[in-house]
Amino acid sequence: MPRWEQHTAAARRSLFWNARMERMPRAELDALHLAKLRGLVAFVYERSPYYRRKFDERGLKPRHIATLDDYKRLVPLTDKQDFIRLQSERPPYGDTLALPFDLVAHHVETSGSTGLPLAIPLSAYDTERYGESWTYGFWAHGIRPEDSFYFAFNWGNFAGFWSCYYGARRMGCRVISGGGADSQGHIKNILRLKPTVLISTPTFALRLATVAKEMGVDLRDSSIRFTYHAGEPGPFALPAMKRQIDEAWGADSGELLGIAEIEAFAPGCPERDGVHVNEMNVFAWSMNPATGAEVGDGEVGENIITSYTNSAQPLLNYRSHDLVRSVGGCACGRTWRKLPGVVLGRTDFMVTVRGTNVYQTAVENLLGEHTGVSPFFQLVLEHADGNDRMTVEFEPDPAVARADWDALARAVGDRIHKALHVRLEVNPMAPGTLPRYDLKTKRIIDKRPKELRRELDR
Ligand SMILES: [Zn+2]
């Protein structure tokens, strides 16, 4: 076999899209981070009025950043709310751009399911890098250039769709848009066009499975070999979700963690129990959200992210509001920081119920793991007598008999009480009564007065 063919065969078998970067020893990786961060700080100070103002307010100059600790400690935190405010004062981008306006090649947005969407201007370079951020996860999952992608969603301005499309194109795969099809239409499209990869939210993959069953279609016989998910807790966060999707589709489900305004920055681990921070494209560290101090290795903290791939609207020390547990080293061979269980909670989805802090995702994870609970559940927030109250409403799995619903609800309540030290009201609902969503599932129904609510969009 000629040498180039040997090389190609080995690269195809490898689980690494970029082996040199994904396995780089920690000391080398940290030295590279420092060099990139110093370059980035100098770039934004020179080019972005927004960052120059923030730095000048603190008397901070690029030369003050000599170590990674300096960077974490001195460079001010940024937050989605700052950007939304600046953009709404001076549409479309406020003074956050670090590149001339005419170099913005693609305008995308956050999903904006609640409140104002965040505008995300991307340069041509940014679109390529954003697209490739998906490719790391696709490759590790076993997807190869001969595969073909079916996108089971409508195309609007949402950053996730476009970047995923760029990622599939980057690999040279055939791409098929589901366009405006309904669930039955998606299933007919899949049977007719024979894609091998389904891209959807995890709950929508399960919904399609239910609809297929009603149509008398067994999806395990379809051409789909892989399903890949983002946008809400998926198979690597919720073992029950992984089992249900794998069984329904007869395929391997995968997941990545992304943030629309950054990128698909954490591709799934081949061990299928978490994601890795893409340290080619971002620098991340974990912060105690109450004190602002860095938390130790393996402790839960808020993921603070700096992007190397957003040159038009740079994001430095950006608050993700995701609570993660970041650890070093993994059986898969990546040296990149790993987040087992993906996102463990949201700092801004926290409510205080009778003096106990309750994170939405913590409750979701418990429900997702509980046998007999279907993926259709929601958390209703109310405010009475100065207290937040959270009620869990869930549809029992259709296999659970009506007579057993109350016992199931009590068991769920006990499980939450044991794990989170708070007693929540848990109500079973008849199958089919809770709302279904094509895109991002809405799990929190916030009925509290407006002034008590926080931004729930991401
Ligand atoms: Zn791994």
Side-chain angles (χ1 to χ4, degrees):
M1 190 188 282
R3 199 160 162 193
W4 68 268
E5 275 189 22
Q6 286 173 24
H7 178 76
T8 307
R12 282 181 56 86
R13 280 194 306 275
S14 165
L15 289 175
F16 304 108
W17 172 253
N18 183 343
R20 167 99 176 88
M21 281 305 302
E22 291 177 58
R23 292 185 298 189
M24 186 174 274
R26 175 48 53 186
E28 204 181 324
L29 200 46
D30 281 347
L32 187 57
H33 277 308
L34 181 59
K36 286 160 96 167
L37 291 170
R38 294 184 70 180
L40 180 62
V41 164
F43 170 75
V44 301
Y45 189 73
E46 177 77 26
R47 301 288 189 123
S48 162
Y50 165 71
Y51 279 102
R52 177 174 286 247
R53 196 169 59 244
K54 283 194 76 116
F55 279 41
D56 284 347
E57 278 167 10
R58 301 184 154 210
L60 178 64
K61 299 281 184 215
R63 66 170 188 279
H64 295 149
I65 309 299
T67 65
L68 290 180
D69 277 342
D70 291 341
Y71 181 83
K72 295 174 202 167
R73 214 163 31 85
L74 299 176
V75 171
L77 294 172
T78 54
D79 205 325
K80 182 176 187 174
Q81 294 313 318
D82 303 343
F83 288 91
I84 288 181
R85 184 175 48 77
L86 292 167
Q87 291 175 351
S88 64
E89 285 169 6
R90 260 178 57 203
Y93 308 123
D95 61 357
T96 65
L97 289 186
L99 292 179
F101 188 87
D102 61 359
L103 287 186
V104 176
H106 195 163
H107 171 98
V108 285
E109 294 176 351
T110 53
S111 61
S113 46
T114 62
L116 277 177
L118 171 68
I120 311 165
L122 301 172
S123 70
Y125 168 82
D126 299 346
T127 63
E128 294 297 322
R129 293 292 299 273
Y130 198 153
E132 195 185 39
S133 71
W134 285 82
T135 315
Y136 286 84
F138 293 155
W139 196 269
H141 197 47
I143 299 168
R144 293 294 177 267
E146 63 271 25
D147 281 303
S148 52
F149 281 71
Y150 185 81
F151 300 104
F153 41 67
N154 285 316
W155 292 71
N157 259 335
F158 181 44
F161 305 158
W162 286 97
S163 58
C164 183
Y165 162 77
Y166 285 134
R169 289 296 301 270
R170 175 73 181 85
M171 281 183 57
C173 295
R174 183 170 64 122
V175 290
I176 304 165
S177 164
D182 60 8
S183 298
Q184 291 204 5
H186 285 310
I187 288 158
K188 287 178 191 161
N189 284 343
I190 287 169
L191 297 179
R192 182 168 63 90
L193 303 169
K194 303 198 179 348
T196 57
V197 183
L198 171 77
I199 301 287
S200 72
T201 59
T203 42
F204 195 59
L206 289 175
R207 182 176 164 195
L208 287 178
T210 307
V211 173
K213 216 179 234 175
E214 288 162 10
M215 293 165 70
V217 172
D218 189 344
L219 289 171
R220 290 172 300 180
D221 298 333
S222 79
S223 52
I224 297 290
R225 297 166 56 224
F226 303 101
T227 69
Y228 206 76
H229 309 287
E232 54 189 34
F236 295 176
L238 308 173
M241 177 83 85
K242 176 164 64 185
R243 208 169 44 246
Q244 288 173 30
I245 298 177
D246 287 0
E247 280 173 17
W249 286 84
D252 285 337
S253 58
E255 165 173 20
L256 65 74
L257 173 61
I259 292 181
E261 55 273 39
I262 302 179
E263 59 157 38
F265 71 91
C269 171
E271 302 288 312
R272 304 185 78 201
D273 56 358
V275 296
H276 286 270
V277 173
N278 182 331
E279 297 198 45
M280 170 79 177
N281 290 2
V282 302
F283 172 71
W285 57 283
S286 298
M287 181 185 88
N288 178 332
T291 64
E294 186 177 12
V295 305
D297 192 72
E299 287 175 35
V300 174
E302 179 180 344
N303 204 16
I304 306 293
I305 304 168
T306 297
S307 165
Y308 300 135
T309 62
N310 290 67
S311 62
Q313 182 172 267
L315 299 167
L316 278 68
N317 271 347
Y318 189 69
R319 295 194 63 173
S320 68
H321 296 283
D322 286 334
L323 292 168
V324 299
R325 190 166 67 81
S326 170
V327 299
C330 180
C332 77
R334 278 195 185 126
T335 50
W336 290 352
R337 304 289 307 176
K338 181 168 183 175
L339 312 178
V342 197
V343 172
L344 308 177
R346 293 275 296 161
T347 61
D348 53 357
F349 284 174
M350 190 194 79
V351 289
T352 307
V353 180
R354 287 192 293 279
T356 305
N357 293 340
V358 182
Y359 292 102
Q360 172 203 350
T361 320
V363 179
E364 282 185 23
N365 289 351
L366 289 168
L367 288 166
E369 288 166 6
H370 201 97
T371 313
V373 175
S374 79
F376 303 105
F377 54 82
Q378 63 185 23
L379 312 177
V380 181
L381 292 180
E382 286 155 307
H383 195 80
D385 309 324
N387 282 309
D388 283 335
R389 199 171 66 198
M390 184 188 280
T391 307
V392 178
E393 297 180 342
F394 76 101
E395 292 181 13
D397 192 279
V400 178
R402 179 81 177 78
D404 297 329
W405 286 5
D406 287 338
L408 176 61
R410 271 196 306 278
V412 170
D414 288 347
R415 185 170 186 156
I416 292 169
H417 184 228
K418 201 170 159 201
L420 307 179
H421 311 292
V422 65
R423 174 105 6 227
L424 303 181
E425 193 179 321
V426 181
N427 297 329
M429 315 287 282
T433 51
L434 293 179
R436 265 61 172 164
Y437 303 92
D438 280 13
L439 289 175
K440 197 161 285 191
T441 301
K442 195 168 170 206
R443 299 278 199 203
I444 288 267
I445 309 299
D446 199 343
K447 295 182 175 169
R448 295 176 297 172
K450 210 166 181 181
E451 63 277 11
L452 294 174
R453 287 187 219 162
R454 303 196 199 160
E455 175 69 23
L456 292 180
D457 181 30
R458 48 183 307 198

